Amino acid sequence: MSDSAASAAAALLDRIQAPAGSGRDIPDAATRETIGRAPVHSVAELDDAVARAKAAQPAWEALGHEKRIELLLAAADAIDANAESLAYLLSREQGKPLNGPNARFEVGACSAWLRTNAATVLEPQVIVDDETLHAELVYKAAGVVAAIGPWNWPMMITTWQIGPSLRMGNTVVAKPSEYTPLSALALLAVMNEVLPPDVLIGISGDREVGARLASHPDIAKVMFTGSTATGRKIIESSAGNLARLTLELGGNDAGIVLPGTDAKEIAQDLFWGAFINTGQTCAALKRLYVHDSVYDDVVDALAEIAASVPIGNGLDEDNVLGPLQNKAQFDIVSRLVEDAKASGGRIVTGGEAAPELGELFYRPTIVADIGNDAALVQEEQFGPALPVIRYSDVDEAFGWANGVDVGLGASVWSSDPDAAREAATRMQSGTVWINSHGGLHPMVPFGGVKSSGYGLEFGVEGLKSVAVTQVVSGPGRKA
Ligand code: TXE
């Protein structure tokens, strides 16, 4: 990271942070030094933001698709032009390293997603076209969209929410997580260099502001990514404003390695499927079931990678894993690993904090010989600790994999692609990957089942989810 990127990041930060002496200090996730002050907006300021977004919406919708496409492409260019300073800020606030599938990757995904949103077309659907009736389903803007995001991929997930919303003619009020407000606000500031006023407004506040935003009478749609508990509250508040919801909630993704699979062939992809963003990823591999015949080989191959992968301060170009983002998450991971040890799990590598690296660092951990009922298996750890469970009966492995109340992603691993494909659909999850885990594409729909939420993001389905439908019904061809 060059000095010029650091000073450009400081200038960007100055555009968004609260005036000196106000706001809330935000720490660097790795060093815990203060990096800036997040504004703490009040409920009254939120109400004003929603009113401004509502006033701006008709003109934004009236601009039409072509003009909005042009502006979204310009926003993507603005992100690319600021990519290094955005990545620098993101790396410090979130903790993810610049290098690897981390901060630069996340910023790149934001512009890539916006370009795909711009290029995606949602055509009216002709339902009946005969002598007596012509009926079409057309898609229109919903109104003002609330975008409420988490702290793990704060820029990318915010982009997933706002890109399709803007594309369809909605205006947006975005409320980033209180853990990572600066990253999201910086992204919005860069996009707002090219967007008309009040089309995209960032509000940074505490949970009370999030609750007010979701329940606001002028919010037509809530795009939410976060915990299942908060998702339930948003569902309750939607009884008041009838807001449409897309909820991407917690997961506890399982992977199953089938008999006869070559451990060396899959080890790298397995490792990154679980440890991407130091395990703090919605659709990361969080429980791995491995057949007895290949169990020791898979555990050894994973442990070898985990023990050697560079971890540390994200601004150091060598590192590809970082700290946990916050103390609450660090405590969850520590508790679950200690519980795993107490219940007989074998720590193959890691299994402890790495205080010499900083307060919130935890060594990449592989836990073997652990029972399916251990808390580390049954609860979402959301961190760098992977339990590997041995099985000998494939049906039992699928029973275990499906035996939780969440279902975001899942994966099946095999050297035999036909066997893997056949097995894949037995998984109860919104997505099932074959020989990989967690890869996303801006045109391929993504969403969960069971308590992982509902609604699809990305591609044409993603545009539909931020639109309202209208049936236009008229005389048929020969009427
Ligand atoms: O999520 P929350 P947090 C999981 C992960 C983590 C846990 C908590 O296991 O430990 O969730 O993370 C706003 N109405 N995931 O605290 O509490 C809040 O201000 C409306 C899974 O970040 O759900 C923040 O902006 N909004 C995950 C956002 O909701 C409310 C990603 C998320 O907060 C609100 C991240 C309310 N009543 C964490 N209360 C995944 N699977 O993607 C709070 N908020």
mmCIF file of all heavy atoms in Angstrom, residues 99-134:
data_model
loop_
_atom_site.group_PDB
_atom_site.id
_atom_site.type_symbol
_atom_site.label_atom_id
_atom_site.label_comp_id
_atom_site.label_asym_id
_atom_site.label_seq_id
_atom_site.Cartn_x
_atom_site.Cartn_y
_atom_site.Cartn_z
ATOM 1 N N ASN A 99 -4.803 -7.817 0.395
ATOM 2 C CA ASN A 99 -4.486 -8.860 -0.572
ATOM 3 C C ASN A 99 -5.405 -10.081 -0.419
ATOM 4 O O ASN A 99 -6.145 -10.165 0.551
ATOM 5 C CB ASN A 99 -3.034 -9.279 -0.317
ATOM 6 C CG ASN A 99 -2.335 -9.553 -1.616
ATOM 7 O OD1 ASN A 99 -2.982 -9.833 -2.626
ATOM 8 N ND2 ASN A 99 -1.022 -9.485 -1.602
ATOM 9 N N GLY A 100 -5.316 -11.029 -1.359
ATOM 10 C CA GLY A 100 -6.143 -12.243 -1.287
ATOM 11 C C GLY A 100 -7.592 -11.902 -1.604
ATOM 12 O O GLY A 100 -7.902 -10.813 -2.090
ATOM 13 N N PRO A 101 -8.517 -12.834 -1.324
ATOM 14 C CA PRO A 101 -9.938 -12.571 -1.630
ATOM 15 C C PRO A 101 -10.537 -11.663 -0.561
ATOM 16 O O PRO A 101 -11.443 -12.036 0.164
ATOM 17 C CB PRO A 101 -10.554 -13.969 -1.615
ATOM 18 C CG PRO A 101 -9.675 -14.763 -0.712
ATOM 19 C CD PRO A 101 -8.298 -14.158 -0.744
ATOM 20 N N ASN A 102 -10.007 -10.469 -0.452
ATOM 21 C CA ASN A 102 -10.318 -9.605 0.684
ATOM 22 C C ASN A 102 -10.687 -8.186 0.257
ATOM 23 O O ASN A 102 -11.626 -8.008 -0.499
ATOM 24 C CB ASN A 102 -9.134 -9.628 1.653
ATOM 25 C CG ASN A 102 -8.940 -10.992 2.314
ATOM 26 O OD1 ASN A 102 -9.851 -11.493 2.952
ATOM 27 N ND2 ASN A 102 -7.774 -11.586 2.143
ATOM 28 N N ALA A 103 -9.931 -7.172 0.748
ATOM 29 C CA ALA A 103 -10.393 -5.780 0.580
ATOM 30 C C ALA A 103 -10.404 -5.323 -0.886
ATOM 31 O O ALA A 103 -11.406 -4.787 -1.367
ATOM 32 C CB ALA A 103 -9.551 -4.849 1.434
ATOM 33 N N ARG A 104 -9.285 -5.540 -1.598
ATOM 34 C CA ARG A 104 -9.302 -5.108 -3.010
ATOM 35 C C ARG A 104 -10.345 -5.913 -3.794
ATOM 36 O O ARG A 104 -11.042 -5.380 -4.658
ATOM 37 C CB ARG A 104 -7.914 -5.290 -3.637
ATOM 38 C CG ARG A 104 -6.882 -4.322 -3.092
ATOM 39 C CD ARG A 104 -5.616 -4.359 -3.960
ATOM 40 N NE ARG A 104 -4.598 -3.499 -3.411
ATOM 41 C CZ ARG A 104 -3.495 -3.927 -2.771
ATOM 42 N NH1 ARG A 104 -3.275 -5.220 -2.624
ATOM 43 N NH2 ARG A 104 -2.628 -3.061 -2.300
ATOM 44 N N PHE A 105 -10.429 -7.165 -3.473
ATOM 45 C CA PHE A 105 -11.423 -8.044 -4.115
ATOM 46 C C PHE A 105 -12.834 -7.509 -3.857
ATOM 47 O O PHE A 105 -13.672 -7.458 -4.760
ATOM 48 C CB PHE A 105 -11.237 -9.448 -3.535
ATOM 49 C CG PHE A 105 -12.325 -10.431 -3.857
ATOM 50 C CD1 PHE A 105 -12.330 -11.129 -5.051
ATOM 51 C CD2 PHE A 105 -13.341 -10.683 -2.936
ATOM 52 C CE1 PHE A 105 -13.333 -12.049 -5.330
ATOM 53 C CE2 PHE A 105 -14.348 -11.596 -3.214
ATOM 54 C CZ PHE A 105 -14.338 -12.281 -4.413
ATOM 55 N N GLU A 106 -13.093 -7.084 -2.615
ATOM 56 C CA GLU A 106 -14.437 -6.588 -2.271
ATOM 57 C C GLU A 106 -14.761 -5.303 -3.035
ATOM 58 O O GLU A 106 -15.869 -5.150 -3.571
ATOM 59 C CB GLU A 106 -14.551 -6.354 -0.754
ATOM 60 C CG GLU A 106 -15.920 -5.802 -0.361
ATOM 61 C CD GLU A 106 -16.219 -5.841 1.132
ATOM 62 O OE1 GLU A 106 -15.426 -6.404 1.900
ATOM 63 O OE2 GLU A 106 -17.276 -5.304 1.512
ATOM 64 N N VAL A 107 -13.815 -4.386 -3.092
ATOM 65 C CA VAL A 107 -14.064 -3.131 -3.819
ATOM 66 C C VAL A 107 -14.294 -3.434 -5.308
ATOM 67 O O VAL A 107 -15.209 -2.879 -5.942
ATOM 68 C CB VAL A 107 -12.891 -2.144 -3.620
ATOM 69 C CG1 VAL A 107 -13.081 -0.914 -4.489
ATOM 70 C CG2 VAL A 107 -12.771 -1.755 -2.149
ATOM 71 N N GLY A 108 -13.502 -4.355 -5.840
ATOM 72 C CA GLY A 108 -13.681 -4.746 -7.246
ATOM 73 C C GLY A 108 -15.049 -5.362 -7.487
ATOM 74 O O GLY A 108 -15.673 -5.141 -8.540
ATOM 75 N N ALA A 109 -15.533 -6.126 -6.506
ATOM 76 C CA ALA A 109 -16.860 -6.742 -6.649
ATOM 77 C C ALA A 109 -17.946 -5.665 -6.700
ATOM 78 O O ALA A 109 -18.947 -5.818 -7.405
ATOM 79 C CB ALA A 109 -17.130 -7.711 -5.509
ATOM 80 N N CYS A 110 -17.751 -4.564 -5.971
ATOM 81 C CA CYS A 110 -18.772 -3.495 -5.966
ATOM 82 C C CYS A 110 -18.959 -2.934 -7.379
ATOM 83 O O CYS A 110 -20.089 -2.817 -7.868
ATOM 84 C CB CYS A 110 -18.365 -2.360 -5.017
ATOM 85 S SG CYS A 110 -18.331 -2.855 -3.290
ATOM 86 N N SER A 111 -17.862 -2.581 -8.046
ATOM 87 C CA SER A 111 -18.030 -2.016 -9.385
ATOM 88 C C SER A 111 -18.513 -3.084 -10.361
ATOM 89 O O SER A 111 -19.342 -2.811 -11.240
ATOM 90 C CB SER A 111 -16.756 -1.322 -9.871
ATOM 91 O OG SER A 111 -15.645 -2.154 -9.739
ATOM 92 N N ALA A 112 -18.041 -4.317 -10.199
ATOM 93 C CA ALA A 112 -18.489 -5.392 -11.097
ATOM 94 C C ALA A 112 -19.989 -5.625 -10.941
ATOM 95 O O ALA A 112 -20.719 -5.806 -11.937
ATOM 96 C CB ALA A 112 -17.726 -6.678 -10.792
ATOM 97 N N TRP A 113 -20.477 -5.609 -9.705
ATOM 98 C CA TRP A 113 -21.906 -5.838 -9.475
ATOM 99 C C TRP A 113 -22.731 -4.700 -10.083
ATOM 100 O O TRP A 113 -23.755 -4.934 -10.718
ATOM 101 C CB TRP A 113 -22.195 -6.008 -7.980
ATOM 102 C CG TRP A 113 -22.688 -7.381 -7.651
ATOM 103 C CD1 TRP A 113 -23.992 -7.759 -7.515
ATOM 104 C CD2 TRP A 113 -21.913 -8.573 -7.453
ATOM 105 N NE1 TRP A 113 -24.073 -9.105 -7.240
ATOM 106 C CE2 TRP A 113 -22.820 -9.632 -7.193
ATOM 107 C CE3 TRP A 113 -20.552 -8.857 -7.467
ATOM 108 C CZ2 TRP A 113 -22.398 -10.927 -6.944
ATOM 109 C CZ3 TRP A 113 -20.127 -10.150 -7.226
ATOM 110 C CH2 TRP A 113 -21.042 -11.171 -6.974
ATOM 111 N N LEU A 114 -22.264 -3.470 -9.871
ATOM 112 C CA LEU A 114 -23.020 -2.332 -10.437
ATOM 113 C C LEU A 114 -23.091 -2.418 -11.954
ATOM 114 O O LEU A 114 -24.129 -2.121 -12.554
ATOM 115 C CB LEU A 114 -22.371 -1.007 -10.031
ATOM 116 C CG LEU A 114 -22.563 -0.568 -8.582
ATOM 117 C CD1 LEU A 114 -21.849 0.753 -8.339
ATOM 118 C CD2 LEU A 114 -24.049 -0.429 -8.234
ATOM 119 N N ARG A 115 -21.990 -2.828 -12.576
ATOM 120 C CA ARG A 115 -22.006 -2.932 -14.047
ATOM 121 C C ARG A 115 -22.988 -4.015 -14.492
ATOM 122 O O ARG A 115 -23.698 -3.857 -15.492
ATOM 123 C CB ARG A 115 -20.593 -3.219 -14.578
ATOM 124 C CG ARG A 115 -19.669 -2.032 -14.403
ATOM 125 C CD ARG A 115 -18.394 -2.124 -15.243
ATOM 126 N NE ARG A 115 -17.650 -0.888 -15.055
ATOM 127 C CZ ARG A 115 -16.633 -0.741 -14.187
ATOM 128 N NH1 ARG A 115 -16.193 -1.776 -13.508
ATOM 129 N NH2 ARG A 115 -16.053 0.436 -14.038
ATOM 130 N N THR A 116 -23.040 -5.100 -13.741
ATOM 131 C CA THR A 116 -24.000 -6.155 -14.102
ATOM 132 C C THR A 116 -25.431 -5.670 -13.856
ATOM 133 O O THR A 116 -26.324 -5.914 -14.678
ATOM 134 C CB THR A 116 -23.714 -7.446 -13.319
ATOM 135 O OG1 THR A 116 -22.389 -7.852 -13.617
ATOM 136 C CG2 THR A 116 -24.675 -8.563 -13.706
ATOM 137 N N ASN A 117 -25.654 -4.982 -12.744
ATOM 138 C CA ASN A 117 -26.999 -4.415 -12.494
ATOM 139 C C ASN A 117 -27.401 -3.514 -13.662
ATOM 140 O O ASN A 117 -28.549 -3.521 -14.108
ATOM 141 C CB ASN A 117 -27.025 -3.584 -11.206
ATOM 142 C CG ASN A 117 -26.774 -4.392 -9.948
ATOM 143 O OD1 ASN A 117 -26.248 -3.866 -8.973
ATOM 144 N ND2 ASN A 117 -27.131 -5.662 -9.951
ATOM 145 N N ALA A 118 -26.430 -2.728 -14.134
ATOM 146 C CA ALA A 118 -26.722 -1.804 -15.246
ATOM 147 C C ALA A 118 -27.091 -2.586 -16.507
ATOM 148 O O ALA A 118 -27.995 -2.194 -17.256
ATOM 149 C CB ALA A 118 -25.515 -0.903 -15.505
ATOM 150 N N ALA A 119 -26.407 -3.693 -16.728
ATOM 151 C CA ALA A 119 -26.595 -4.435 -17.988
ATOM 152 C C ALA A 119 -27.791 -5.383 -17.951
ATOM 153 O O ALA A 119 -28.206 -5.907 -18.991
ATOM 154 C CB ALA A 119 -25.323 -5.235 -18.289
ATOM 155 N N THR A 120 -28.349 -5.622 -16.781
ATOM 156 C CA THR A 120 -29.429 -6.620 -16.675
ATOM 157 C C THR A 120 -30.766 -5.983 -17.037
ATOM 158 O O THR A 120 -31.082 -4.878 -16.604
ATOM 159 C CB THR A 120 -29.479 -7.180 -15.234
ATOM 160 O OG1 THR A 120 -28.184 -7.646 -14.893
ATOM 161 C CG2 THR A 120 -30.468 -8.328 -15.129
ATOM 162 N N VAL A 121 -31.525 -6.717 -17.826
ATOM 163 C CA VAL A 121 -32.798 -6.173 -18.319
ATOM 164 C C VAL A 121 -33.948 -7.018 -17.781
ATOM 165 O O VAL A 121 -33.904 -8.251 -17.832
ATOM 166 C CB VAL A 121 -32.817 -6.184 -19.869
ATOM 167 C CG1 VAL A 121 -34.159 -5.704 -20.398
ATOM 168 C CG2 VAL A 121 -31.684 -5.319 -20.408
ATOM 169 N N LEU A 122 -34.932 -6.349 -17.245
ATOM 170 C CA LEU A 122 -36.140 -7.037 -16.775
ATOM 171 C C LEU A 122 -37.292 -6.620 -17.683
ATOM 172 O O LEU A 122 -37.838 -5.531 -17.566
ATOM 173 C CB LEU A 122 -36.408 -6.638 -15.311
ATOM 174 C CG LEU A 122 -37.697 -7.154 -14.678
ATOM 175 C CD1 LEU A 122 -37.838 -8.657 -14.815
ATOM 176 C CD2 LEU A 122 -37.756 -6.743 -13.207
ATOM 177 N N GLU A 123 -37.605 -7.490 -18.610
ATOM 178 C CA GLU A 123 -38.651 -7.196 -19.604
ATOM 179 C C GLU A 123 -40.034 -7.414 -19.006
ATOM 180 O O GLU A 123 -40.208 -8.307 -18.170
ATOM 181 C CB GLU A 123 -38.528 -8.152 -20.802
ATOM 182 C CG GLU A 123 -37.209 -8.100 -21.529
ATOM 183 C CD GLU A 123 -37.117 -6.939 -22.502
ATOM 184 O OE1 GLU A 123 -38.012 -6.060 -22.457
ATOM 185 O OE2 GLU A 123 -36.153 -6.899 -23.267
ATOM 186 N N PRO A 124 -41.041 -6.658 -19.468
ATOM 187 C CA PRO A 124 -42.418 -7.010 -19.104
ATOM 188 C C PRO A 124 -42.692 -8.432 -19.593
ATOM 189 O O PRO A 124 -42.123 -8.877 -20.589
ATOM 190 C CB PRO A 124 -43.267 -6.005 -19.877
ATOM 191 C CG PRO A 124 -42.348 -4.939 -20.325
ATOM 192 C CD PRO A 124 -40.975 -5.524 -20.393
ATOM 193 N N GLN A 125 -43.574 -9.123 -18.869
ATOM 194 C CA GLN A 125 -43.858 -10.518 -19.209
ATOM 195 C C GLN A 125 -45.255 -10.593 -19.808
ATOM 196 O O GLN A 125 -46.225 -10.182 -19.149
ATOM 197 C CB GLN A 125 -43.837 -11.290 -17.893
ATOM 198 C CG GLN A 125 -43.334 -12.692 -17.977
ATOM 199 C CD GLN A 125 -43.349 -13.305 -16.571
ATOM 200 O OE1 GLN A 125 -42.970 -12.648 -15.592
ATOM 201 N NE2 GLN A 125 -43.821 -14.522 -16.466
ATOM 202 N N VAL A 126 -45.345 -11.073 -21.033
ATOM 203 C CA VAL A 126 -46.674 -11.234 -21.631
ATOM 204 C C VAL A 126 -47.259 -12.539 -21.095
ATOM 205 O O VAL A 126 -46.686 -13.619 -21.266
ATOM 206 C CB VAL A 126 -46.592 -11.266 -23.167
ATOM 207 C CG1 VAL A 126 -47.970 -11.509 -23.778
ATOM 208 C CG2 VAL A 126 -45.983 -9.973 -23.684
ATOM 209 N N ILE A 127 -48.423 -12.431 -20.435
ATOM 210 C CA ILE A 127 -48.998 -13.613 -19.785
ATOM 211 C C ILE A 127 -50.022 -14.269 -20.720
ATOM 212 O O ILE A 127 -50.027 -15.476 -20.906
ATOM 213 C CB ILE A 127 -49.705 -13.220 -18.463
ATOM 214 C CG1 ILE A 127 -48.773 -12.368 -17.597
ATOM 215 C CG2 ILE A 127 -50.211 -14.456 -17.721
ATOM 216 C CD1 ILE A 127 -47.586 -13.080 -17.035
ATOM 217 N N VAL A 128 -50.885 -13.461 -21.282
ATOM 218 C CA VAL A 128 -51.878 -13.974 -22.243
ATOM 219 C C VAL A 128 -51.889 -13.029 -23.438
ATOM 220 O O VAL A 128 -51.898 -11.797 -23.282
ATOM 221 C CB VAL A 128 -53.303 -14.009 -21.630
ATOM 222 C CG1 VAL A 128 -54.318 -14.502 -22.663
ATOM 223 C CG2 VAL A 128 -53.349 -14.907 -20.398
ATOM 224 N N ASP A 129 -51.864 -13.608 -24.634
ATOM 225 C CA ASP A 129 -51.935 -12.778 -25.846
ATOM 226 C C ASP A 129 -52.739 -13.567 -26.874
ATOM 227 O O ASP A 129 -52.186 -14.327 -27.659
ATOM 228 C CB ASP A 129 -50.517 -12.482 -26.357
ATOM 229 C CG ASP A 129 -50.543 -11.609 -27.602
ATOM 230 O OD1 ASP A 129 -51.492 -10.810 -27.742
ATOM 231 O OD2 ASP A 129 -49.619 -11.734 -28.433
ATOM 232 N N ASP A 130 -54.064 -13.441 -26.802
ATOM 233 C CA ASP A 130 -54.900 -14.165 -27.765
ATOM 234 C C ASP A 130 -55.962 -13.237 -28.329
ATOM 235 O O ASP A 130 -55.878 -12.022 -28.183
ATOM 236 C CB ASP A 130 -55.483 -15.441 -27.128
ATOM 237 C CG ASP A 130 -56.398 -15.147 -25.937
ATOM 238 O OD1 ASP A 130 -56.885 -13.998 -25.826
ATOM 239 O OD2 ASP A 130 -56.614 -16.057 -25.107
ATOM 240 N N GLU A 131 -56.981 -13.798 -28.947
ATOM 241 C CA GLU A 131 -57.993 -12.986 -29.613
ATOM 242 C C GLU A 131 -58.752 -12.090 -28.650
ATOM 243 O O GLU A 131 -59.203 -11.007 -29.008
ATOM 244 C CB GLU A 131 -59.011 -13.886 -30.347
ATOM 245 C CG GLU A 131 -58.477 -14.512 -31.629
ATOM 246 C CD GLU A 131 -57.470 -15.623 -31.344
ATOM 247 O OE1 GLU A 131 -57.424 -16.112 -30.198
ATOM 248 O OE2 GLU A 131 -56.719 -15.994 -32.258
ATOM 249 N N THR A 132 -58.907 -12.578 -27.425
ATOM 250 C CA THR A 132 -59.771 -11.837 -26.499
ATOM 251 C C THR A 132 -59.032 -11.012 -25.455
ATOM 252 O O THR A 132 -59.597 -10.090 -24.871
ATOM 253 C CB THR A 132 -60.698 -12.823 -25.746
ATOM 254 O OG1 THR A 132 -59.863 -13.758 -25.067
ATOM 255 C CG2 THR A 132 -61.640 -13.538 -26.694
ATOM 256 N N LEU A 133 -57.773 -11.342 -25.225
ATOM 257 C CA LEU A 133 -57.079 -10.683 -24.096
ATOM 258 C C LEU A 133 -55.589 -10.516 -24.363
ATOM 259 O O LEU A 133 -54.917 -11.425 -24.874
ATOM 260 C CB LEU A 133 -57.262 -11.564 -22.842
ATOM 261 C CG LEU A 133 -56.595 -11.097 -21.558
ATOM 262 C CD1 LEU A 133 -57.238 -9.803 -21.038
ATOM 263 C CD2 LEU A 133 -56.690 -12.177 -20.468
ATOM 264 N N HIS A 134 -55.076 -9.337 -23.991
ATOM 265 C CA HIS A 134 -53.620 -9.136 -23.931
ATOM 266 C C HIS A 134 -53.301 -8.702 -22.503
ATOM 267 O O HIS A 134 -53.677 -7.612 -22.078
ATOM 268 C CB HIS A 134 -53.148 -8.077 -24.925
ATOM 269 C CG HIS A 134 -51.663 -7.903 -24.903
ATOM 270 N ND1 HIS A 134 -50.805 -8.630 -25.711
ATOM 271 C CD2 HIS A 134 -50.863 -7.120 -24.132
ATOM 272 C CE1 HIS A 134 -49.554 -8.298 -25.439
ATOM 273 N NE2 HIS A 134 -49.574 -7.364 -24.496
#
